[in-house]
Amino acid sequence: MKVGASVLACCCLLIQVLGLALFLRGFFPLPVRSQARKSSISEIPAEPWAGKTSNWTQLPHPLFKKVVIVLIDALRQDFVFGVKGKEHMRYVTQLIEKGSTLSYIAMATAPTVTMPRIKALMTGTIPGFIDIVVNLNSPELLEDNVIWQAKQAGKRIVFYGDDTWIKLFPKHFVESDGTTSFFVSDFTEVDDNVTRHLDDVLKRDDWDVLVLHYLGLDHIGHLTGPHSHLIGPKLYEMDFVLKKIHSALSSKDEDPSFPSLIVVCGDHGMSEAGSHGGSSDEEVQTPLVLISSAFQNKAGTFKEPEIIQQTDLAPTLALGLGLPISRSSLGMLLPAVVEHKTFREQLRFFHLNGYQLCKLLKENLRAYEKDDGVEQFKKAEKLHANWIKLYLEGNTSEVLTNLGRKLIKQYLEALQKLSASLSKQVVEYDIYSMTVGAIITLEMFFLLLICVPSALSSKAEFDLPLASPIFSLFFYMTCLVLAAVHVIVCTSTENMCFFCSISWMMAMAIMVLIAALLCVLLSVLGKIILKHKSSNEKQSSSMSSWSELDLLLLVGTLGHVLSMGASSFIEEEHQTWYFLINTLCLALSQEMCRKYFLVRKRNKMNTSDLEYMEQTDVYINEIYDAHKKELKEERLSILERFIKDNEKWIALASPGIILICCRLLRPLNQTGVQWMHRSDFGHWLTSSEHKPELSFLVGTCLVMIFVLIQGKCSLVSKVALMFGLLGVYCYRATIGHVLYPWQQDTKDITK
């Protein structure tokens, strides 16, 4: 059947989209979600009790009267626990060293950008890259979260800071003032707009939860990096803010059993280049410091910060405020937060957390009962029931205390295993869906590759055999094999698989499509092989027209495409380009040598080549005579004459000059992951000691841009261009990157 090139291209494109969608659905699995929308108090499980039903069916009382969340954007863990923290955040360091706080290193997950990290902190889930697509038309956070639960419970929430919170939680705050993160060069006003509300709000008692999101540190990182001289003053400013909040709340803590809590955390870290979004240690390790008078009895027991997951904050905050844990939360309660409570209260908290995680695992894993965490939780639940029976019978012996400690240990082990199992569901690829999508995509790719010569011919059509392959025995056998594979995979896998969750009719239709494409592809290949065997001479002559440079370009392009299949090659893609450019320049040098020194030697040519060149020379002479007058009238510039007279040597020298320029450009700016820490010319120029050199270089480049462009511009365009380039330099001088010629030192000038 003959098919037009446009029709074939459209069909192939649609099938390619299907294969790509299947592959992406497996490569970016949807995050673990609960089937129900929100948790409610009515669904809270009762306390386990052997023999009877416990009368404790409600949530435990809140642990904290007021909660202040201070989220400092791009706060790295070494900014608090490292040398910079000890030097610039002295008040917080003093509290940590006294042991009157709970200090953790909270591990974030990629993508380390603000919106997914806020979701992780408030919902306890692990947002994936697919969330960027899913939430394009839904900026409001619809999942169960701490902010929504607090509002439902009648908590009064006040917010100041990044307006991302207002977009995620509209109508949740009784008072709010958002600041935009668009102006990255502003790292002063953006934080002053948050701090200016503190004096007033800390005097009032009409709020329960206060959320502050500071953006200044993140903006400094984007502008000048984590080792900038601006980092220290900003950390000192944050330390002063925390001291003010802590002093104000401490003076109002009248009831020691019902204190306030300050949560100091970062949404993500900051790379050595000052950016974020990746998964390096500097980007994923964030500090989490819990400050409360409830932890004062731990004074003098300072120890290194424990490593936890960022998702652990959501269940800790929920239970600390007396709220149900978010349905989709993967986190586990931080045990040190409830250490000061009685054994019965601690066991109640851990049981609620374990029950929620088991319920979530049941909704996302088929064979959830076989999970180690579920089995251990059930054992702990039975032991918990026996403990409650002994406790209510009035047993106060040391046996009850030892049993309680053993039970807490069992609960913690179960919670860790449950959380790990759920987290594994998020990061685990759906291999089966990826394989099916990749097979469809590759089949269409090879079919398109085979069809290109026919599609580019004068007829622009392709003879596509459909009837003979589809009605062949091989087609039906392939369908049966694929159907058997589908049944085996879907009945044996324990994890949720997207391709197995679709209807059997749709799955079988896709299997038939794969079999049909395979048969058509094999049939087309067979025809091409037979056709090429009958015309070997023609094929050899056409292949001889391919030069070594053409083959190099083809192999280099295919090699670069294949290198995109590995993340390490993607991170160091510039190394691939360095290799390809150097190889191409060497090949060009060889081509130039052959063109100017080998091909033109008469003794190397045969008779037919000489006759062809003589005819060509006659033709060129005729053209030259016809245009002799025009050529004489043209006035060639000195540069054009030089190029014309030395064309051969310029062509020979060009690849070498390109190689030298590429080598000079390589140390300008270290990129990638492996060598980013090494110093380079770019870092040398942007350092504060070399501002005069950078200023001279920037000024020279701007003048050169004006000189090169102004020749083709009108007078008005020249004036506009001059003022535009002058404005570029003035802007850079204003923000402190370069110096004005009349500036004697590097002190900041007025803005």
Side-chain angles (χ1 to χ4, degrees):
M1 186 175 83
K2 291 188 177 181
V3 181
S6 58
V7 176
L8 180 65
C10 290
C11 294
C12 290
L13 181 63
L14 291 174
I15 299 173
Q16 282 272 30
V17 169
L18 171 65
L20 187 62
L22 270 174
F23 180 85
L24 290 177
R25 180 58 181 79
F27 191 74
F28 297 121
L30 288 173
V32 173
R33 294 284 186 268
S34 174
Q35 295 173 0
R37 276 287 182 192
K38 306 280 177 30
S39 295
S40 62
I41 297 177
S42 60
E43 298 175 351
I44 299 300
E47 183 182 51
W49 190 16
K52 296 182 180 179
T53 304
S54 171
N55 57 357
W56 194 355
T57 58
Q58 301 299 318
L59 277 169
H61 293 296
L63 299 175
F64 306 105
K65 180 182 179 182
K66 291 180 182 291
V67 173
V68 180
I69 302 172
V70 183
L71 195 155
I72 304 172
D73 212 296
L75 184 66
R76 286 180 12 169
Q77 61 91 10
D78 59 325
F79 287 173
V80 176
F81 304 127
V83 177
K84 283 189 173 70
K86 292 176 181 178
E87 184 179 352
H88 302 292
M89 300 191 75
R90 294 178 181 176
Y91 185 75
V92 174
T93 302
Q94 184 181 359
L95 292 176
I96 294 171
E97 289 179 348
K98 283 182 178 178
S100 54
T101 64
L102 299 178
S103 304
Y104 302 95
I105 295 176
M107 303 295 291
T109 56
T112 48
V113 289
T114 298
M115 184 179 284
R117 294 301 96 219
I118 294 174
K119 289 182 179 180
L121 289 167
M122 293 296 106
T123 63
T125 60
I126 301 178
F129 289 94
I130 195 67
D131 279 4
I132 299 170
V133 179
V134 173
N135 293 312
L136 277 178
N137 297 320
S138 179
E140 182 181 355
L141 183 58
L142 302 176
E143 294 174 53
D144 196 2
N145 59 81
V146 176
I147 300 294
W148 185 88
Q149 289 289 353
K151 184 190 175 187
Q152 293 300 111
K155 304 284 184 183
R156 296 159 297 179
I157 312 169
V158 178
F159 170 76
Y160 306 117
D162 186 0
D163 58 2
T164 304
W165 287 76
I166 300 174
K167 295 173 184 176
L168 287 173
F169 309 106
K171 301 178 182 179
H172 285 67
F173 307 117
V174 296
E175 183 182 328
S176 63
D177 184 14
T179 58
T180 179
S181 59
F182 180 73
F183 302 104
V184 182
S185 58
D186 171 31
F187 49 83
T188 305
E189 298 294 333
V190 74
D191 286 347
D192 290 345
N193 284 333
V194 178
T195 307
R196 66 190 176 94
H197 296 284
L198 281 182
D199 290 332
D200 176 56
V201 76
L202 291 174
K203 291 176 184 176
R204 293 161 18 202
D205 289 322
D206 59 348
W207 56 271
D208 301 298
V209 179
L210 174 63
V211 182
L212 308 172
H213 189 150
Y214 285 93
L215 288 165
L217 187 67
D218 180 60
H219 289 185
I220 291 173
H222 285 298
L223 281 172
T224 57
H227 304 296
S228 167
H229 64 282
L230 300 170
I231 294 288
K234 179 56 67 176
L235 293 177
Y236 178 80
E237 179 188 341
M238 295 295 99
D239 189 59
F240 178 76
V241 167
L242 292 169
K243 182 179 180 181
K244 179 186 287 189
I245 296 170
H246 186 231
S247 301
L249 292 181
S250 298
S251 63
K252 292 184 178 182
D253 278 347
E254 299 173 356
D255 185 2
S257 64
F258 196 41
S260 300
L261 172 69
I262 303 173
V263 179
V264 185
C265 62
D267 53 348
H268 52 75
M270 184 189 300
S271 70
E272 287 299 312
S275 61
H276 54 86
S279 56
S280 65
D281 289 343
E282 291 81 7
E283 292 169 276
V284 301
Q285 292 183 357
T286 63
L288 175 63
V289 182
L290 306 179
I291 306 171
S292 175
S293 59
F295 314 134
Q296 292 293 336
N297 58 347
K298 296 176 69 62
T301 58
F302 170 72
K303 56 182 179 181
E304 290 297 319
E306 182 185 347
I307 295 178
I308 62 166
Q309 296 301 314
Q310 203 176 51
T311 51
D312 294 340
L313 181 63
T316 304
L317 277 179
L319 294 174
L321 289 167
L323 307 172
I325 300 175
S326 304
R327 274 187 177 273
S328 300
S329 171
L330 313 182
M332 57 176 286
L333 173 67
L334 299 175
V337 176
V338 296
E339 269 185 1
H340 61 285
K341 308 304 286 185
T342 64
F343 269 122
R344 187 180 184 186
E345 288 175 307
Q346 290 184 53
L347 293 173
R348 177 66 171 153
F349 285 127
F350 294 133
H351 177 256
L352 289 173
N353 195 187
Y355 179 84
Q356 174 264 326
L357 291 175
C358 283
K359 194 173 181 181
L360 183 62
L361 191 64
K362 181 180 179 181
E363 294 176 2
N364 290 275
L365 189 66
R366 291 181 179 178
Y368 81 100
E369 293 179 349
K370 298 178 182 178
D371 186 83
D372 293 340
V374 174
E375 292 178 354
Q376 190 157 353
F377 175 75
K378 288 181 177 179
K379 291 178 183 177
E381 202 173 28
K382 290 179 181 178
L383 190 62
H384 188 181
N386 294 328
W387 189 93
I388 291 294
K389 184 179 179 182
L390 292 172
Y391 176 81
L392 294 178
E393 288 175 355
N395 192 327
T396 57
S397 65
E398 189 153 342
V399 176
L400 189 68
T401 305
N402 293 333
L403 186 62
R405 290 198 183 98
K406 180 183 177 182
L407 184 52
I408 289 174
K409 188 178 178 181
Q410 280 196 2
Y411 265 135
L412 289 175
E413 290 176 357
L415 291 176
Q416 287 175 349
K417 290 179 179 179
L418 287 168
S419 181
S421 297
L422 287 165
S423 300
K424 186 181 175 183
Q425 299 294 314
V426 179
V427 299
E428 196 170 63
Y429 297 126
D430 184 355
I431 301 297
Y432 186 42
S433 301
M434 287 173 62
T435 304
V436 174
I439 289 172
I440 295 174
T441 306
L442 288 173
E443 285 181 338
M444 294 313 304
F445 170 73
F446 287 119
L447 187 61
L448 280 171
L449 203 62
I450 293 170
C451 296
V452 164
S454 300
L456 294 178
S457 63
S458 57
K459 293 183 179 180
E461 61 181 16
F462 183 73
D463 189 8
L464 194 67
L466 291 177
S468 56
I470 291 177
F471 290 105
S472 64
L473 179 63
F474 180 74
F475 168 71
Y476 295 109
M477 292 297 294
T478 307
C479 289
L480 287 174
V481 171
L482 291 175
V485 169
H486 183 70
V487 172
I488 293 169
V489 171
C490 293
T491 53
S492 60
T493 182
E494 295 180 357
N495 299 327
M496 300 293 284
C497 174
F498 171 74
F499 195 65
C500 292
S501 64
I502 63 176
S503 65
W504 280 91
M505 292 292 291
M506 190 179 294
M508 287 301 107
I510 293 174
M511 293 298 177
V512 169
L513 174 66
I514 292 173
L517 287 173
L518 180 62
C519 292
V520 169
L521 189 61
L522 292 175
S523 179
V524 171
L525 279 173
K527 281 190 173 183
I528 290 174
I529 291 170
L530 290 173
K531 184 179 178 182
H532 281 210
K533 279 184 178 179
S534 62
S535 57
N536 279 332
E537 294 180 2
K538 192 177 290 185
Q539 180 68 15
S540 62
S541 64
S542 65
M543 284 300 291
S544 63
S545 63
W546 283 63
S547 67
E548 294 175 0
L549 195 60
D550 296 331
L551 290 172
L552 177 65
L553 288 171
L554 178 63
V555 173
T557 304
L558 290 175
H560 180 243
V561 171
L562 292 174
S563 71
M564 295 294 100
S567 59
S568 56
F569 277 103
I570 294 172
E571 291 168 353
E572 306 293 336
E573 185 186 357
H574 52 285
Q575 301 288 354
T576 307
W577 281 113
Y578 293 155
F579 175 78
L580 290 175
I581 290 171
N582 295 344
T583 309
L584 182 61
C585 287
L586 291 174
L588 282 171
S589 298
Q590 183 190 13
E591 192 79 12
M592 293 300 105
C593 291
R594 181 183 300 166
K595 178 180 178 182
Y596 288 106
F597 292 101
L598 298 177
V599 176
R600 288 193 175 185
K601 289 184 178 180
R602 299 273 177 171
N603 55 359
K604 300 280 185 178
M605 298 180 181
N606 53 32
T607 308
S608 60
D609 289 337
L610 288 171
E611 290 175 358
Y612 175 75
M613 286 193 68
E614 287 173 0
Q615 293 174 2
T616 306
D617 290 337
V618 171
Y619 180 69
I620 291 173
N621 289 332
E622 289 176 358
I623 295 175
Y624 179 77
D625 292 335
H627 297 281
K628 193 173 183 180
K629 292 181 180 180
E630 287 82 358
L631 289 170
K632 285 183 178 180
E633 290 173 358
E634 288 180 1
R635 298 180 63 185
L636 296 175
S637 65
I638 297 174
L639 181 62
E640 289 172 340
R641 283 181 181 178
F642 177 79
I643 293 173
K644 186 177 180 182
D645 295 339
N646 300 278
E647 178 188 354
K648 176 169 63 176
W649 301 108
I650 291 172
L652 287 171
S654 295
I657 294 170
I658 294 171
L659 282 173
I660 293 170
C661 292
C662 290
R663 189 64 190 88
L664 291 174
L665 285 172
R666 285 179 67 172
L668 181 64
N669 184 25
Q670 293 288 354
T671 183
V673 176
Q674 297 293 329
W675 317 113
M676 190 182 289
H677 62 282
R678 288 192 175 183
S679 59
D680 50 44
F681 187 60
H683 284 92
W684 184 86
L685 271 178
T686 54
S687 61
S688 56
E689 297 84 9
H690 302 105
K691 275 189 180 180
E693 291 85 348
L694 180 63
S695 304
F696 175 77
L697 188 61
V698 171
T700 305
C701 291
L702 292 175
V703 170
M704 287 179 65
I705 290 171
F706 179 78
V707 171
L708 291 171
I709 296 176
Q710 58 86 30
K712 299 179 181 179
C713 296
S714 63
L715 179 62
V716 176
S717 298
K718 288 179 183 178
V719 174
L721 177 64
M722 182 178 67
F723 278 107
L725 295 174
L726 189 62
V728 170
Y729 191 91
C730 291
Y731 169 74
R732 290 296 173 185
T734 303
I735 63 175
H737 288 173
V738 297
L739 299 173
Y740 284 116
W742 57 84
Q743 272 185 271
Q744 299 298 324
D745 51 23
T746 58
K747 291 182 179 179
D748 292 335
I749 62 170
T750 174
K751 296 185 180 181

